[in-house]
Amino acid sequence: MEIGIDSFAATIPNPATGHTVPPADRMEALLAEVETADRAGLDVFGIGEHHRKEFLDSAPAIILSAAAARTKQIRLTSAVTVLSAADPVRVFQDFATIDLISKGRVEIVVGRGSFGEAYPLYGFAMEDYDALFVEKLDLLLKLRDETHVKWQGRFRPALTGQGVYPRPHQAKMPVWLGVGGTPQSFARAGSLGLPLMVAIIGGSFDRFRPLVDLYREAGRHAGHAPESLKVGIHAMGFVGETDAAAADAFFPGWAYMATEIGRERGWSRATRAQFDAMRGPHGAFLIGSPQTVRDKILAANEALGGISRLTFQMSSAMLETKAMQRSIELLGTDVAPAVKEALGKAPHHG
């Protein structure tokens, strides 16, 4: 199992002090987090894409490019690229360029986005939400496989064999499909034989098992080898010296973000009781001491029939850089090796 981190470059006020870190300082801290993850031996670091005031990640390829120049081993990915509102040609060129800078460490996770701001910003209609994604994913995969593409669609001018450059360092740059909870998305990923990245930001891991099974069955039905049907999980997570320390560090920022975003969606205010239930044995938050987090990862792996990649969304904690870096170090030096050792001794699912 690969273990890593996703960041949305959050820039919300510190719930304890009311202080908001200046954007340039927050970006500096984010790049320091990527460097720490690289040194700690984590496998992957992802940068999200949002077009809102709370986040600095509207241009994730630029952040990943800076990260590529500062790191040696860690794989770098989007989390997710809002492909529906982007030009697949430009997306491919951006990530192929980062792949050259990093000498083959880049991946793309594509999705439709959990927020809608990108659509009107770039002149697209929300009612075309799914049609845009289907068409643009088709083009992106063709661009990955062919230098000179002939292609025609509804939402973008046709390609008539023009060369698309540069070509990436990797022979086949990985493209994952990021999904929320719709069965159609899971089945689509399986039919295409693409690795799956599931955002599980609430509830429990086991409730996603039927959808993961649907993905694997669709992949098998389409003739894809089982080992190519990778399942990744994106979850809220934070590692502290103790369970209580981790919970107290993560809760204020999570509650602020969940309440602010929830207000837009008609949700009730986020509470500590909800949070504590989510970090309990049956909830999907991976928050606690290294031992607690290790045990929950292994339980999630079992519940879903095998996980290939697990990425932690830590930035809701909105902590000082040193505290964030300590959590990253604990994940890389304590949790990840313990998980991999345990899985090495157990029957391997995939």
Side-chain angles (χ1 to χ4, degrees):
M1 182 193 298
E2 295 177 317
I3 295 176
I5 294 167
D6 288 333
S7 177
F8 295 166
T11 180
I12 61 175
N14 183 306
T17 65
H19 173 68
T20 301
V21 175
D25 294 346
R26 176 69 186 106
M27 194 66 77
E28 182 181 4
L30 173 59
L31 292 171
E33 290 164 22
V34 185
E35 290 181 277
T36 301
D38 189 39
R39 287 194 302 270
L42 287 170
D43 298 298
V44 61
F45 203 107
I47 303 291
E49 179 188 338
H50 302 84
H51 301 268
R52 301 169 56 93
K53 65 180 181 180
E54 302 97 339
F55 306 107
L56 300 175
D57 59 357
S58 65
I62 305 295
I63 302 173
L64 290 169
S65 182
R70 293 171 175 233
T71 54
K72 298 284 191 285
Q73 302 293 332
I74 198 164
R75 296 191 70 76
L76 301 166
T77 184
S78 58
V80 304
T81 295
V82 184
L83 188 63
S84 310
D87 181 351
V89 174
R90 174 49 81 188
V91 169
F92 179 84
Q93 290 174 322
D94 284 347
F95 281 84
T97 302
I98 307 168
D99 203 47
L100 296 177
I101 295 169
S102 67
K103 292 186 167 59
R105 292 187 282 125
V106 161
E107 305 188 6
I108 311 175
V109 181
V110 296
R112 295 174 295 187
S114 58
F115 297 97
E117 288 85 359
Y119 293 84
L121 189 63
Y122 291 108
F124 296 106
M126 280 298 293
E127 54 263 32
D128 294 326
Y129 182 78
D130 195 57
L132 281 161
F133 184 72
V134 170
E135 178 176 302
K136 293 184 176 190
L137 178 59
D138 176 63
L139 176 53
L140 181 67
L141 295 176
K142 282 185 167 60
L143 292 165
R144 179 178 69 164
D145 295 338
E146 305 169 30
T147 303
H148 298 271
V149 172
K150 293 184 177 177
W151 176 93
Q152 192 165 358
R154 275 177 60 198
F155 300 105
R156 188 201 188 281
L159 292 175
T160 57
Q162 299 94 324
V164 177
Y165 304 104
R167 305 308 296 176
H169 185 77
Q170 297 172 89
K172 192 165 186 174
M173 191 163 56
V175 175
W176 295 64
L177 192 58
V179 300
T182 63
Q184 299 93 324
S185 296
F186 285 79
R188 176 185 296 146
S191 297
L192 293 169
L194 295 176
L196 182 77
M197 180 55 70
V198 190
I200 302 180
I201 58 172
S204 62
F205 291 109
D206 56 9
R207 74 185 177 95
F208 281 83
R209 180 61 183 264
L211 293 168
V212 169
D213 288 345
L214 175 64
Y215 161 72
R216 290 181 170 131
E217 181 55 36
R220 280 192 291 268
H221 188 260
H224 299 293
E227 58 269 21
S228 71
L229 300 171
K230 297 179 180 179
V231 175
I233 300 299
H234 161 99
M236 295 287 181
F238 192 81
V239 189
E241 306 289 348
T242 66
D243 289 353
D248 290 345
F250 197 86
F251 172 72
W254 172 83
Y256 177 93
M257 191 70 82
T259 298
E260 289 300 303
I261 292 170
R263 187 178 292 128
E264 298 174 15
R265 302 183 179 187
W267 302 344
S268 57
R269 184 177 183 83
T271 68
R272 182 66 190 239
Q274 289 173 330
F275 175 79
D276 287 339
M278 289 305 307
R279 70 181 181 89
H282 304 295
F285 286 5
L286 303 168
I287 296 170
S289 68
Q291 181 70 39
T292 294
V293 173
R294 167 197 173 274
D295 291 346
K296 287 201 76 173
I297 291 173
L298 293 173
N301 183 70
E302 187 66 29
L304 294 171
I307 299 169
S308 296
R309 175 175 292 181
L310 181 62
T311 56
F312 281 54
Q313 165 54 286
M314 284 188 180
S315 56
S316 298
M318 281 310 297
L319 296 166
E320 296 301 318
T321 303
K322 281 186 179 178
M324 285 290 292
Q325 288 179 340
R326 178 60 181 150
S327 184
I328 293 166
E329 287 167 356
L330 286 170
L331 182 61
T333 59
D334 287 22
V335 177
V339 168
K340 292 176 184 185
E341 181 183 6
L343 292 176
K345 294 176 181 175
H348 186 57
H349 296 289

